Amino acid sequence: MTSHSDLNPQLTPKKAITIRFQRIAIIGYIGLLLLMPLWLFLLEPREGHSNGFIFVVYILPLLLPLKGIIQDKPYTYAWANFIVMFYFIHGFTLLWVAQEQLIWVVLELLFASMMFIGCTYYARHRGQELGLKIQKLKDELATEKAAHEFNKKD
């Protein structure tokens, strides 16, 4: 039998650790969302790149998970980590080639780290609270094999 909390994630309470990781993720996310346009458009504008290019490459990817984060979807927090990898690569590259922008690079890496850690553990803890889980490959293969065998009999 399912309860109301199984049907509606908003009715399933969050544990303190889940809330803590969500806050870390959101601080990192908002930090990147504010830092990148300020840094790239106002503080250290990139010469040789159009504003459109900078927006599409550096800011638009951060907007992709916005709706799911606002709607508090654990799956969005999980896949947002693929996006944040770009900011790690960007930050570590600039550590090597743009020493004069060290403060902004360190902030980018700090916010990206916060977002990555927060999103990873928030998705994990909230997924467990909601009973969401990814089926193990061996179980999935067994289910597919059983379905295939059942279809062969028909």
Side-chain angles (χ1 to χ4, degrees), residues 18 31 49 57 89-90 97 100 103 117 121 144:
T18 305
H49 296 324
V57 172
I89 293 167
H90 180 255
V97 299
E100 68 282 356
I103 184 83
I117 292 166
Y121 288 104
E144 285 181 18

Side-chain angles (χ1 to χ4, degrees), residues 28-40 43 62 111:
Y29 177 69
I30 292 172
L32 279 175
L33 204 53
L34 293 173
L35 174 68
M36 297 312 288
L38 286 173
W39 176 18
L40 300 173
L43 302 171
L62 285 170
F111 290 138

Side-chain angles (χ1 to χ4, degrees), residues 22 25-26 68-69 72-81 119-120 122-123:
Q22 184 180 27
I26 289 173
I69 288 174
D72 195 20
K73 296 187 177 200
Y75 185 75
T76 302
Y77 282 82
W79 67 256
N81 279 337
C119 284
T120 299
Y122 175 74

Side-chain angles (χ1 to χ4, degrees), residues 89-113:
I89 293 167
H90 180 255
F92 283 121
T93 301
L94 289 182
L95 272 178
W96 185 261
V97 299
Q99 301 277 319
E100 68 282 356
Q101 297 181 28
L102 187 61
I103 184 83
W104 311 121
V105 173
V106 169
L107 282 172
E108 179 183 24
L109 290 171
L110 174 69
F111 290 138
S113 298

